[in-house]
Amino acid sequence: MRHALLMLFMCILMRPVLSGELLEYHVNKVDDYFVLHLDMRVKANYRQVNSVLMDFAKMPEVNDTVVESRLLERIGDRHKIFFASEACIWVFCERIEQVAMVTELGQGYIMSNILVEESDLRHGRSLWHLIDEGSTTRVIYDAEYIPDFWVPPLIGSALAREKMLSEGLKTINGMERVIADQRTGQ
């Protein structure tokens, strides 16, 4: 009986299922580089998606793998930001700290370059392209990274690819969740 009541309580508290779409993806490992491409559709308008992406303090709400995120400095359309994330694949867990220069390029493009001297990556850059589709926004994300920490051989590229893909999906749904919460005032 307690189990049934708990399930009923959880169902009442559950939020509606979000419905972002993953249109296309690929994750590859080439030498030391991890290369990621995600083509997604978010059920929110362009202004809302852009606002969430550029609100660096909200990143832990968008994706709970990000445990800390803050703006360090802003110079016009350039933002120096700090991110810390904690990710696990099986029992191997790593806290990854990054400092990046994020630049709003206009026309829906946002570029990020990792400042390697202040980060746990030997290389990292990404490009977001937001495309206004009216009530939805197409988000194309391309990134490449070289970790500056040991990745056990047991964690093959297939597992790393699966983890990167799941983080991309978590981000799509997280953006929609944060936007839905803003709409309802939560």
Side-chain angles (χ1 to χ4, degrees), residues 4 14 42 45 53 56 65-66 93 98 100 104 109 129 169 181:
M14 286 180 64
V42 178
N45 69 45
L53 282 176
F56 306 115
T65 301
V66 178
C93 296
Q98 310 172 43
E104 297 175 81
Y109 287 95
H129 184 200
L169 291 170
D181 288 350

Side-chain angles (χ1 to χ4, degrees), residues 15-16 18 58 61 174-186:
R15 297 178 184 185
L18 302 169
K58 283 207 185 306
E61 294 175 43
M175 281 191 281
E176 288 185 350
R177 185 181 59 256
V178 167
I179 291 165
D181 288 350
Q182 289 172 345
R183 285 184 196 140
T184 60
Q186 292 183 4

Side-chain angles (χ1 to χ4, degrees), residues 17 20 46 83 90 108 122 159 175:
V17 175
Y46 175 90
F83 284 104
W90 289 346
R122 287 187 289 144
L159 284 175
M175 281 191 281

Side-chain angles (χ1 to χ4, degrees), residues 41-173:
R41 179 168 289 118
V42 178
K43 291 210 173 185
N45 69 45
Y46 175 90
R47 183 190 53 74
Q48 293 167 318
V49 172
N50 189 66
S51 176
V52 168
L53 282 176
M54 297 309 294
D55 187 348
F56 306 115
K58 283 207 185 306
M59 284 302 112
E61 294 175 43
V62 171
N63 185 326
D64 63 3
T65 301
V66 178
V67 294
E68 187 178 352
S69 175
R70 67 181 181 273
L71 177 66
L72 300 175
E73 180 181 8
R74 180 177 181 181
I75 305 164
D77 290 338
R78 294 171 43 97
H79 313 269
K80 185 176 182 181
I81 57 169
F82 171 82
F83 284 104
S85 56
E86 293 177 356
C88 295
I89 299 178
W90 289 346
V91 296
F92 176 71
C93 296
E94 190 70 37
R95 178 181 169 97
I96 304 163
E97 295 187 356
Q98 310 172 43
V99 175
M101 190 58 75
V102 176
T103 306
E104 297 175 81
L105 301 173
Q107 297 182 337
Y109 287 95
I110 303 167
M111 180 178 61
S112 174
N113 287 298
I114 299 299
L115 304 177
V116 295
E117 62 279 357
E118 301 177 59
S119 303
D120 294 331
L121 298 170
R122 287 187 289 144
H123 170 79
R125 69 176 164 201
S126 64
L127 183 65
W128 294 83
H129 184 200
L130 309 181
I131 302 167
D132 188 346
E133 296 182 329
S135 63
T136 63
T137 304
R138 182 114 169 245
V139 180
I140 300 171
Y141 176 74
D142 290 292
E144 57 185 55
Y145 300 102
I146 300 176
D148 196 19
F149 50 87
W150 182 69
V151 179
L154 292 175
I155 309 293
S157 58
L159 284 175
R161 283 194 295 266
E162 182 179 311
K163 180 65 176 174
M164 291 174 81
L165 176 59
S166 74
E167 291 300 317
L169 291 170
K170 190 188 299 185
T171 299
I172 295 169
N173 289 323

